Amino acid sequence: MLKISAEEFMIEGLSVVKIPKTELFDINKIFDCGQSFRFDRVENSTHEIEFAGVAYGKYVSFAADGDTLYIYNSTLDEYENIWKNYLSLDTDYAKINNSILALSDNKNLEKAIELSSGIRILKQEMWEALCSFIISQNNNIPRIKKLVAALCEATDEGSDLAKNMDGHIASSHLAARGNFSPFPPPEEVLKLGVEGLKNLKMGFRAKYIYDAARKVSTGEINLYAVRDFDTTREASDELCKISGVGPKVAACTLLFGFNRLDAFPVDVWIKRVIEKYFDESFTPEDLGEFAGVAQQYLFYYERYLEGDKNG
């Protein structure tokens, strides 16, 4: 495990943790690569870059000046027990990158790793990842964020997770109270029923979300058992027992919520990337135990190239 020093201090009643010298860590890339739906950029931040949102039941912001990271609304104990793991600061990404490169001489993959350097896979809560990626089906990121916020608001009795966070709140979050609410456990989602979920504009996803909540809350699908399955394929097969969960949703859930770094989600973007940069014999297994990290690099790389073409 990597050893990164950290210190805690107070600013106007708000606890802040400072972590110097975070290498291969880029907040903008991490929260702009489609792996999380609760964080947005803090405009007019006093830092070079800052993103705020809810994770593990807390509204926090992650800010950076150079390679120094600040976590607002966090104690040192919370950093050690939650955020270091959540941000994958306890993971050696230099080793991961070298491992991927050792398995392939693909020049485009090499370029993707170089361009995407700083992305880390967040270790999100398992149920939240599962539910969020069910919502993500046939959806764009802005709408996914709105639906997640609506679900959180519908199941929240009035949390104040952003207390004392003035100056470190994403302005986009002010549009809906749910942006400051904890993600609901499956039991609370179940209470909404299919019709209640449809009223939140979940559409065809309502019945899938309900089925997931029912199976997880009853223990029919035990997420902790899934986490400990021997292989990612077995874990995927188990998640696919939930209505509406196919290989892509299962892979996203496993990659971003279960720390299965070999899980390789394939969507339209990635299909195009594979066809563009790899030969017909390519399989995700070719990229080894960190294939999912390579997928994120390739995804970000292709989006960057497309964005550059479009100005």
Side-chain angles (χ1 to χ4, degrees), residues 20-257:
K21 298 188 181 303
T22 53
E23 298 178 353
L24 297 177
F25 184 87
D26 188 313
I27 291 174
N28 187 55
K29 292 177 182 178
I30 290 169
F31 289 103
D32 187 43
C33 65
Q35 61 174 313
S36 171
F37 306 113
R38 304 217 65 192
F39 282 79
D40 283 307
R41 188 164 183 166
V42 176
E43 301 295 338
N44 302 315
S45 172
T46 57
H47 297 279
E48 292 175 9
I49 186 76
E50 184 172 4
F51 276 79
V54 176
Y56 289 88
K58 291 206 71 174
Y59 192 92
V60 296
S61 81
F62 303 113
D65 292 318
D67 60 1
T68 298
L69 173 66
Y70 299 86
I71 306 177
Y72 287 87
N73 201 25
S74 171
T75 64
L76 189 58
D77 183 65
E78 288 169 338
Y79 166 70
E80 292 292 343
N81 291 291
I82 301 174
W83 307 121
K84 182 163 64 175
N85 181 65
Y86 174 73
L87 296 169
S88 286
L89 287 169
D90 53 0
T91 303
D92 189 340
Y93 265 71
K95 180 179 179 181
I96 287 176
N97 294 347
N98 289 334
S99 175
I100 295 170
L101 289 170
L103 294 172
S104 174
D105 59 0
N106 188 298
K107 295 301 180 182
N108 287 295
L109 177 58
E110 186 177 339
K111 291 177 183 177
I113 292 175
E114 183 179 358
L115 177 71
S116 306
S117 177
I119 289 178
R120 290 180 180 239
I121 304 299
L122 297 172
K123 297 172 184 174
Q124 301 175 63
E125 292 186 90
M126 295 182 290
W127 161 247
E128 179 174 347
L130 171 61
C131 193
S132 296
F133 283 103
I134 291 175
I135 292 172
S136 77
Q137 295 180 85
N138 298 327
N139 242 332
N140 58 51
I141 289 177
R143 179 160 170 75
I144 297 166
K145 289 183 175 182
K146 287 182 179 180
L147 291 176
V148 169
L151 178 63
C152 294
E153 182 170 342
T155 53
D156 183 30
E157 296 181 354
S159 300
D160 187 16
L161 298 184
K163 185 178 181 181
N164 296 328
M165 286 288 285
D166 291 349
H168 303 284
I169 294 174
S171 58
S172 59
H173 289 170
L174 299 174
R177 183 173 59 82
N179 287 311
F180 306 103
S181 302
F183 197 88
E187 293 78 12
E188 292 300 314
V189 175
L190 199 61
K191 291 177 183 178
L192 295 173
V194 174
E195 290 305 313
L197 289 165
K198 285 183 177 179
N199 290 339
L200 298 177
K201 311 299 183 184
M202 296 293 176
F204 71 90
R205 307 166 195 84
K207 60 182 181 292
Y208 301 150
I209 297 166
Y210 182 83
D211 189 63
R214 181 183 64 79
K215 285 177 176 170
V216 173
S217 63
T218 61
E220 184 176 343
I221 299 290
N222 186 321
L223 298 183
Y224 292 97
V226 173
R227 182 190 63 187
D228 295 334
F229 277 10
D230 289 338
T231 69
T232 296
R233 182 178 295 277
E234 289 176 301
S236 176
D237 289 343
E238 185 70 6
L239 291 181
C240 286
K241 292 178 182 179
I242 298 169
S243 297
V245 174
K248 191 253 183 176
V249 170
C252 287
T253 302
L254 292 169
L255 179 59
F256 304 123

